[in-house]
Structures are given as structure tokens and as C-alpha cells.
Amino acid sequence: MGTSMKIYKFGGTSLGTAGRIKKVADILAGALQQDKIVVVVSAIHHVTDLLLDAATKASNGERSYCATLEELEHLHLSIASELFSGPLLDEVGAAIRAELSDLNNIAQGVFLLRELSEKSLALVMSFGERLSARIVSSCLQERGMASFTLDARKLIVTDSNYADARVDMHASVLQIKKHLAVFDRVPVVPGFIAAAPDGTVTTLGRGGSDYTASILGAALSASEIWIWSDVDGFFSADPKRVRDARILPYISYSEAMELSHAGARMLHPLAVQPAMKAGIPLLIKNSFNPAAKGTRIEKATPPEMSRPLPVTGLSSINNIVLLNMSGSGMVGVPGIASRLFSCLARHRINIIFISQASSEQSITLAINPLQAAKAKKILEEEFSSEIGSRQIDHLLIRRNLAMVAVVGNNMSGHPGVSAQLFETLGKNGINVIAVAQGANEMNISLVVESHDEDKALNCIHESFFLSQRKVHLFIAGTGTIAKSLISQISAHRLHLRKENDLDVVVCGIANTRRIAMDDNGIDLQNWKTLLIPRVEHHGIEEYLKLIRERNLHNTIFVDCTASARVAEIYPDLLLANISVVTANKLGMAGPWPLYRRIRDAQRKSNARFLYETNVGAGLPIINTLHDLKNSGDKIISIEGVLSGTLSYIFNELRKGGKFSDIVRRAQEAGYTEPDPRDDLSGADFARKFLILGRELGFTLEYGDVVCESLVPPEYRGEMLVPEFLDRLSSVDAWYSDAAEKAAAEGMTIAYAGEIREGKATIGVKQVPLSSPVAGLSGSENMVVFTTERYRVTPLVVRGPGAGAEVTAGGVFADILRIASYLV
């Protein structure tokens, strides 16, 4: 056995079963070949909860506490029966029964008195560690390692605050050295428990076994203190909440204290102090994975492990209450803060977070919700005269909040950390309710709504720790545009990861009948097979509800439908800070009240709303118009052809041929809707011009767009498509005459539109052969901007304006524009 001494503390999950206790024995057997070891143990997994449950039931007069005690007995005896046999099993079994007999007597007294004092509760809670220490020590003996159980009540001296006692370090060190000055066997010490000066049991608070280990290590000048649990070490964030959290090989004492105080559960907040004062490293290790290096906590990170990142880690407390005291009578009055904190200290109310306005008019505190009512009552009693004279307002309590702490030694003197932090929160619509930062600049703590906690942790972690950022897409619709979009994302995703450090994750796909959802990303190669019937969540409102419940950061809703009902939820999405990309015209070309609600929601939200494909599919028409306006140019007119179908028909007419034959060929080639009248009516063209007119600032409704329908009035009824196509020849002569007349004047005919002086018109027009419109071919679209700058030579945007692939490409481009803003 070596000369150095180490403290090994094992948590409850490490001792949850007989098999796990055997693994603990294996770990200790290996360690004892090199060092002297003092072992500290927590209660077996879930036992502390069972003890609290039994005590509570007994104090409420519920006889079911007996069943809970029987469950405790069964648990410990069954573990003992798996570990031991023969005389040792009889000995351990007798010891367990004796301990539990004492516990039963105490619980019976609580039941009869219907009273559970802190003193009685501390005594009840101490049995978990006492029982586990007995079992672990016996297991070591059974494995050939000389061991004994050493009662922590003989070692740790505290005050008489039974539930969360303060340690008398001087007295404790004397006792520890007295009992452990020399030892040849392995001492197994129950953690968490201690004793007041009169010998009564006290406890060190939940997780207090870590504190016990640190106190022992400091008193015995141990070389290291090893804290064994069920995780590989300190992570950059809680891995259960942040999927990309990473192990931290080294952190400083101060960082460990800050993270633990702010909710990191790997270590008791007070456990760092004794080790730090004594200069003893702490190691966080995983008993289920002993080979993992874990996290080493010491004064400074080794030079070879220096971190370039300003932030070391994040932690959070997911249920706090803010207590706010404010009033004009607080300004410039000495002693207000002193009275406030002294009052809370006298009543043992722990303050998690403090924020004070620079005007001194308010002080905000975060505390445990269980103490909120008591804190409000005692403070209003303390400041009753000031409240009565209206110098101080009645205290306000705000519930359902969480605190997030951003911690790192490198934050000090590192400009831009706060800006980056609050920018990423703002872009994700996370409201920061209160903020506190110490003068050492190593911790920025902020309070948010509880439902935003996971979202805040993920977006902050991604912002500071990951070069590759994520956007989360929820797609509505599974038609041709959606299919093309999903195919494009799947094909291009790897390139975006490598070249742009961007991961586009499709988390939801839904149509009216089926849905697929996966926060980690849907398999885009097999997405059709993953769609399941929408048994419970029908309608777009339910889809929106599912999206909002997930509350993922960097979320984008993608509308690939042609549904007015989907368009109606755009304002709700934007107000929920969910960005929207849409190929659906029925929002921006919908009724004026809906259009205004969308615009108002945009202004009130940090989310983005892009709809480039509403007008030109893949053509940059909306963006070009915005650039012209934003750069101060004045738009005189907009002209153009914004229907691929009608562009094709009139381009073919210029070559000669009958109008009805060209329409039939277009229908057979799939250029038109199944009923060509849907295209010939010009309705889609009119919606696009309505959008452009509104972009110019004109108050227009759909009916204000003067649109000439190419469907003769007598053919607009219930006539079947074949009959319509047969009868369409009746207008061939008119188009032939119009084309000849235009040609005679050196012109041609086109179905085109114009927006000028607040009026939008669309119809069959004569255009000069020199006009850009006359040069169109196939199903090309075109928009001609005449502006103050582009008056002599108008600005022309021309190209394919229809087709699923082109439209999907435009939608994808809008997604990437929003992603660029978000990340």
C-alpha cells in the first residue's frame, strides 16, 4: 500500500444494486494497491426519497408509511443476500434489521405525534447513509479488504440547524484527526450526516456526501478527492438537455463553485471550499465507466489544456421564484439592503441570485419556491413601517422561472461575451427577466421563463461552443414543392455542414392526414415511410402546438401548401418567435386584415418572414424590389409577365398557330393546372401583382387588381374540361386578328401586367418588338423595374418562374437567408 491518501466518495447511483456495489469494490481493490483510501458513501439510490416519503406519510397520519419502511427493508436485505452468504449474511442482515427497527420506532413516534420537526427529519434521513456504509464495508471485507464503518457523527461537528447544518471546521478537523490519525483498515464513512455539539444528528443538505468527502480530505491532507457518480465528469452543459454538451477535462475551483451553485448536479456547491483552501484537487469520475478520464478540478488549468473559448460551461436551476422589493423610499437610504439580507439570513432563507437597479429603487432576489411565502411574509413584517407609509411597495413574487448561469474564467476582460449572449437569446425570442454579473466577470446569471430554459441552454451553448450551428425546420405540406425541397436539403446538407458550418435539421413534416416529428432530425432518405396518421393532432393549429411545445432554438416554419388556413397562422408563428418561409401566396395576397396582422407580427417579433417564391418562384424579385427601396430609389412602374403558363401560350402564339391548340398542348404537357381555366383566369398572376403592389406601399385588395380573364364568360361554369377545350376554338379568330393587327404596327401581343401610380392592371396588351417582354421564350417569367435610377434602361429580372424544383430552390434560399441571420 502506498503512502499517499485519497478520499473516494461514491454516490447513490453507484450503489443502486448489488452488481454496482461489486463494481465499487473492484474500483477500491485497484486503488488500494497504490494508495490509502478513505471511503465516503451516499445512501443507496432512491433510499433518501423513500425515507422522506415515509416520514411525511407518518407526520400526516398515513399508515402507508409502514409499507414504505417495508420497501426499504426489502431493498437492503435483497442487496445483502446477493452480496453475502453464511455468517456474514446473518451478521449484515441482523445489523440492517436493527437499524430499521430503530427507524420504525422513530417513524411510529412521528405518526403518533403527527409532527415532523427538522430534528426528527434529520434523524430519519440519516439511516440511508448508515445502512449503505454498513453494506459497503462488509462487501470490502467479503472481498478480502480489511474495512470498518466509521460513524460520521463522530467526525463532523455542526451547529444545530438540523436540516442544513453549518460545519464547525476547527472542531471537525480535531475529531477527524483523532479518529483517523492512524488506520490500517479501510474506513467507510456515511456521508451527508453529522452531529451537533450535543450529539444530535444533523444533515448537510442534499448532495452533502460530497461535502463530507471534501472536509475529510482537507483535514487529512489527502492528495486527491475522487467523487464517483454516474456521469463522466463536468459537462459544458447538462447533457440531458443539451445534446451537444461536451466533457470538460479541467476546470478551476472557482468555475466548479459557480457551476455547482447555479444548478450543476455533479458536485455539492460547498464541497469545493475545503478542497480549495487546502489546495487538494477534486476529480469527478464515473463508476460505470472507470476508464473515462473525468474532470479534474484544481486552482488553474494546465497550460497545455488552456481553453481559447471565453465560456467554460452553463448550468441552470429550473424552478426559482423572483422576489422584488421596490419603492422610491429605497433611493439613497443607507441600511435597506443590510436589513433585507440580515432578515433573510436570520430565517435561513438561501438567496440564489441578486440584482439591484442602479437607481437603488429596487432589489430583486431569486429564492427556492418553497421559501417564497415565508420570505415575503417576514420581509413585509421587517419593512412594515415603510410599506405603510408607501415608501416601499408590497413585495412582488414571480413564479415559474429558471436561472441560467454562463460561467468561465476567460470571460474576464473578453469583450463581446455579453453582446453575443443577449443577441442569441433575442434572436430566439427568449425574454431575459433579470440579469446579474459579478465584478470578476466570470459568471453572467440571467432569469428566464421556465418553459424557455432548455431553449436558452441550447442556443447559448451552440453560440459559444460549436462552430457548426443548427436550424430546425418544420415543413407544412408534402406536395411537389415539399418533395423537391426535402430532396434538395438532403443532397446539400453535408456540403452546408462542411463549407458553411450549418446543419439544416428537418424536425417535422406534416400534411392534412399524416405527420412525422423528431427533434434530432427526420431521416430525409426515408421520410415518406416515417409519416404516421394524425390520430390526435389534427389541423394546422395542432401542428403549431406541437412545434411550440418543442420550443427548439433557431426554428423555421416552412409552408409548402396552398392553404389559406395555414397562411392565417403566420402571425401566431411570428409572435412565438418562429421564423417563416413560405411559397404560399395566400398570406401576402390574402385579405388586407391578414396582411396587416402579418406585418404587425413581424414588427413585434425578432423572427424573420421571407416569401420570395410568392412572386417569381426562384427569381429574386422581392429581394430586388427591397434593395431598390432600401437604397432610396423611387419605383416608377413595375411591368412584366408572372405566369409561366401564359408566357408559354403567348410565346407560342408569336410563332403562329391556334390559341386553342396551344392551350391543349400546354395542358397535355403538364404546363397548366388540370383545368386550364385556373391559369387562363389570370388569378395567380393577379395575386402576384397584388403582392408587388402592397410591397410598393399601396393599400390594395385582390379585387382592386384589374385582371382580364382569358376564359370566355360562357365557359366559366360547371363545364367539363374536355368540352371546354373543344369549344375554346371559338376564340382562335380573335387572337389571330389581334396578333396580325399588332404585327402590322410593328408590335406583338402578350399577356402582361403593369403597376403604376397605385393601380395594377393585367391583360392582353400590344408591346413593341423591342420590349423585353417580346423577347421571352418558353415559360419564362419577367419583371421590369422602371425607377429613377433605371429610367432610361429599366432593370430586368428574367428566368424560369415556375416548376417545383425552381420554387423549392427559392424556398431553400430563403431558409438559408434566415439561417444566416439566426446563427
Side-chain angles (χ1 to χ4, degrees):
M1 193 178 293
T3 57
S4 67
M5 180 189 297
K6 293 178 180 177
I7 311 297
Y8 274 34
K9 176 265 173 181
F10 293 93
T13 51
S14 300
L15 307 171
T17 65
R20 294 178 185 178
I21 293 173
K22 289 177 181 178
K23 287 185 178 179
V24 166
D26 291 339
I27 291 169
L28 290 169
L32 286 168
Q33 295 177 17
Q34 303 294 327
D35 305 293
K36 295 183 70 173
I37 302 292
V38 175
V39 179
V40 177
V41 294
S42 297
I44 288 169
H45 193 41
H46 286 319
V47 166
T48 301
D49 291 333
L50 289 172
L51 288 166
L52 178 60
D53 182 55
T56 303
K57 286 176 178 176
S59 68
N60 292 334
E62 300 174 27
R63 286 199 172 273
S64 58
Y65 82 88
C66 296
T68 305
L69 294 181
E70 289 174 4
E71 184 180 350
L72 282 165
E73 182 174 2
H74 174 75
L75 172 63
H76 289 90
L77 289 177
S78 63
I79 288 175
S81 67
E82 289 185 55
L83 291 172
F84 315 119
S85 60
L88 183 56
L89 174 60
D90 294 338
E91 179 185 335
V92 174
I96 292 171
R97 292 186 181 92
E99 292 277 17
L100 290 175
S101 175
D102 290 343
L103 174 60
N104 186 71
N105 291 335
I106 297 165
Q108 176 71 6
V110 171
F111 174 79
L112 294 173
L113 294 172
R114 302 292 196 274
E115 181 182 350
L116 183 62
S117 66
E118 287 189 349
K119 184 177 182 179
S120 298
L121 180 60
L123 181 56
V124 169
M125 300 291 275
S126 71
F127 280 86
E129 278 72 15
R130 289 154 60 180
L131 289 165
S132 67
R134 176 64 68 113
I135 290 173
V136 170
S137 179
S138 298
C139 181
L140 297 181
Q141 294 175 41
E142 195 270 341
R143 294 283 296 273
M145 292 172 271
S147 176
F148 67 102
T149 302
L150 180 56
D151 195 335
R153 290 173 291 183
K154 296 179 180 179
L155 305 176
I156 312 295
V157 183
T158 69
D159 61 14
S160 297
N161 288 296
Y162 300 100
D164 191 10
R166 301 288 176 88
V167 174
D168 182 335
M169 291 300 297
H170 178 71
S172 298
V173 168
L174 292 177
Q175 290 298 106
I176 292 167
K177 288 184 174 180
K178 174 183 175 182
H179 288 87
L180 289 171
V182 179
F183 59 91
D184 294 323
R185 296 176 294 160
V186 178
V188 179
V189 180
F192 174 63
I193 62 176
D198 64 359
T200 54
V201 177
T202 61
T203 59
L204 304 180
R206 279 294 183 107
S209 296
D210 296 341
Y211 194 18
T212 303
S214 187
I215 294 168
L216 290 174
L220 297 172
S221 299
S223 61
E224 293 175 339
I225 301 166
W226 293 39
I227 308 295
W228 294 84
S229 63
D230 58 351
V231 294
D232 284 344
F234 262 96
F235 282 78
S236 54
D238 185 346
K240 295 178 182 177
R241 293 184 160 176
V242 178
R243 290 187 295 274
D244 298 312
R246 57 183 66 172
I247 273 286
L248 301 173
Y250 291 88
I251 58 174
S252 68
Y253 291 125
S254 55
E255 288 171 329
M257 281 197 294
E258 294 284 355
L259 289 168
S260 299
H261 174 76
R265 297 179 181 177
M266 279 72 73
L267 195 62
H268 189 283
L270 295 177
V272 179
Q273 294 177 3
M276 180 172 66
K277 288 181 180 179
I280 301 170
L282 287 152
L283 282 84
I284 310 298
K285 296 281 288 181
N286 188 350
S287 63
F288 301 146
N289 183 21
K293 292 185 177 180
T295 299
R296 187 175 181 89
I297 304 168
E298 50 191 339
K299 184 175 181 179
T301 303
E304 66 273 14
M305 293 297 297
S306 61
R307 292 187 299 267
L309 300 176
V311 174
T312 298
L314 314 177
S315 59
S316 64
I317 301 175
N318 61 9
N319 189 15
I320 64 167
V321 164
L322 277 189
L323 194 67
N324 186 67
M325 188 172 80
S326 62
S328 58
M330 295 171 59
V331 179
V333 178
I336 294 289
S338 174
R339 286 171 59 193
L340 170 67
F341 297 127
S342 296
C343 178
L344 293 174
R346 286 196 304 272
H347 292 85
R348 305 281 295 173
I349 292 175
N350 185 41
I351 300 170
I352 302 168
F353 169 104
I354 303 168
S355 178
Q356 183 173 14
S358 59
S359 65
E360 303 180 36
Q361 191 169 344
S362 70
I363 298 176
T364 301
L365 310 172
I367 59 176
N368 188 302
L370 298 177
Q371 296 182 307
K374 179 181 178 182
K376 183 176 187 295
K377 180 176 181 294
I378 62 173
L379 287 176
E380 289 188 340
E381 289 174 354
E382 173 70 25
F383 293 97
S384 58
S385 62
E386 288 88 349
I387 292 172
S389 61
R390 298 187 178 181
Q391 292 177 297
I392 293 178
D393 301 328
H394 284 280
L395 274 74
L396 296 178
I397 291 179
R398 185 165 179 176
R399 299 182 182 274
N400 302 316
L401 303 174
M403 186 186 80
V404 176
V406 182
V407 175
N409 280 335
N410 290 346
M411 287 165 55
S412 177
H414 195 291
V417 173
S418 295
Q420 185 175 341
L421 169 63
F422 292 110
E423 181 183 25
T424 191
L425 292 171
K427 286 180 176 178
N428 281 278
I430 298 169
N431 182 39
V432 177
I433 297 163
V435 182
Q437 181 175 12
N440 62 6
E441 299 183 57
M442 70 168 297
N443 182 343
I444 302 175
S445 293
L446 47 96
V447 176
V448 300
E449 299 283 354
S450 288
H451 67 85
D452 279 333
E453 181 186 3
D454 284 2
K455 186 177 182 181
L457 287 169
N458 277 275
C459 71
I460 295 169
H461 188 272
E462 184 176 284
S463 177
F464 284 102
F465 288 92
L466 303 181
S467 59
Q468 188 176 98
R469 311 292 182 84
K470 286 187 175 76
V471 291
H472 301 95
L473 305 189
F474 292 86
I475 299 173
T478 56
T480 55
I481 294 174
K483 290 174 182 175
S484 295
L485 174 63
I486 293 169
S487 177
Q488 290 177 20
I489 293 172
S490 178
H492 201 53
R493 189 178 178 193
L494 183 60
H495 174 81
L496 288 172
R497 284 174 175 171
K498 289 182 176 179
E499 301 300 324
N500 296 58
D501 288 326
L502 176 68
D503 192 8
V504 179
V505 184
V506 178
C507 298
I509 304 172
N511 58 30
T512 55
R513 300 178 305 279
R514 304 178 76 81
I515 190 169
M517 301 283 276
D518 188 337
D519 292 357
N520 294 315
I522 295 167
D523 180 0
L524 299 185
Q525 298 295 322
N526 302 295
W527 66 272
K528 293 178 185 178
T529 64
L530 299 174
L531 292 169
I532 61 173
R534 296 179 70 168
V535 177
E536 298 179 5
H537 302 286
H538 298 286
I540 187 61
E541 294 86 0
E542 287 297 307
Y543 189 31
L544 173 57
K545 181 180 177 182
L546 289 172
I547 295 170
R548 294 180 71 169
E549 284 175 354
R550 276 156 173 76
N551 205 26
L552 296 174
H553 68 293
N554 297 344
T555 296
I556 304 174
F557 178 84
V558 184
D559 184 4
C560 294
T561 74
S563 165
R565 186 69 199 94
V566 175
E568 288 172 2
I569 71 161
Y570 295 166
D572 296 330
L573 287 160
L574 294 168
L575 291 173
N577 278 284
I578 297 170
S579 295
V580 177
V581 171
T582 177
N584 181 358
K585 302 175 188 67
L586 299 183
M588 299 309 282
W592 182 257
L594 173 60
Y595 176 82
R596 290 310 316 162
R597 285 199 300 117
I598 294 172
R599 288 303 195 199
D600 290 343
Q602 273 187 279
R603 281 191 288 272
K604 295 175 183 177
S605 168
N606 288 325
R608 289 294 185 266
F609 179 74
L610 295 183
Y611 48 96
E612 181 66 73
T613 55
N614 279 196
V615 174
L619 297 181
I621 294 172
I622 298 292
N623 278 333
T624 301
L625 178 54
H626 286 171
D627 288 344
L628 291 170
K629 288 173 59 182
N630 293 336
S631 65
D633 203 354
K634 180 180 178 182
I635 312 297
I636 297 171
S637 68
I638 299 177
E639 302 168 87
V641 176
L642 287 174
S643 167
T645 302
L646 295 172
S647 179
Y648 170 81
I649 290 170
F650 279 82
N651 291 337
E652 291 296 302
L653 271 175
R654 293 191 194 103
K655 300 175 184 178
K658 296 179 180 179
F659 181 79
S660 60
D661 289 343
I662 295 170
V663 171
R664 187 183 294 275
R665 290 202 307 270
Q667 196 252 8
E668 290 171 351
Y671 292 162
T672 73
E673 296 293 329
D675 187 341
R677 286 170 291 187
D678 293 340
D679 297 289
L680 297 176
S681 69
D684 187 61
F685 198 150
R687 290 191 188 96
K688 294 175 180 179
F689 255 50
L690 173 60
I691 293 171
L692 289 176
R694 287 174 170 176
E695 291 297 313
L696 291 177
F698 302 127
T699 304
L700 296 174
E701 287 283 14
Y702 179 76
D704 296 327
V705 180
V706 179
C707 182
E708 177 186 357
S709 174
L710 303 185
V711 181
E714 61 270 24
Y715 302 157
R716 297 174 189 173
E718 298 298 323
M719 184 182 296
L720 296 177
V721 172
E723 184 182 356
F724 163 70
L725 290 173
D726 289 340
R727 293 193 178 189
L728 191 59
S729 59
S730 64
V731 299
D732 287 346
W734 186 91
Y735 285 100
S736 178
D737 291 344
E740 290 178 6
K741 182 179 178 182
E745 299 178 15
M747 304 181 82
T748 188
I749 60 171
Y751 189 81
E754 180 183 47
I755 303 173
R756 186 184 295 270
E757 297 178 352
K759 295 181 180 179
T761 59
I762 302 169
V764 179
K765 301 179 181 182
Q766 287 189 355
V767 296
L769 292 174
S770 59
S771 168
V773 171
L776 289 173
S777 63
S779 59
E780 286 183 323
N781 279 7
M782 174 185 288
V783 169
V784 180
F785 295 100
T786 302
T787 74
E788 289 287 358
R789 296 175 190 157
Y790 295 92
R791 185 188 291 270
V792 177
T793 305
L795 177 62
V796 177
V797 179
R798 172 181 172 176
E805 285 294 323
V806 170
T807 303
V811 170
F812 197 5
D814 275 351
I815 290 169
L816 295 179
R817 288 188 189 98
I818 292 180
S820 178
Y821 158 75
L822 290 172
V823 304

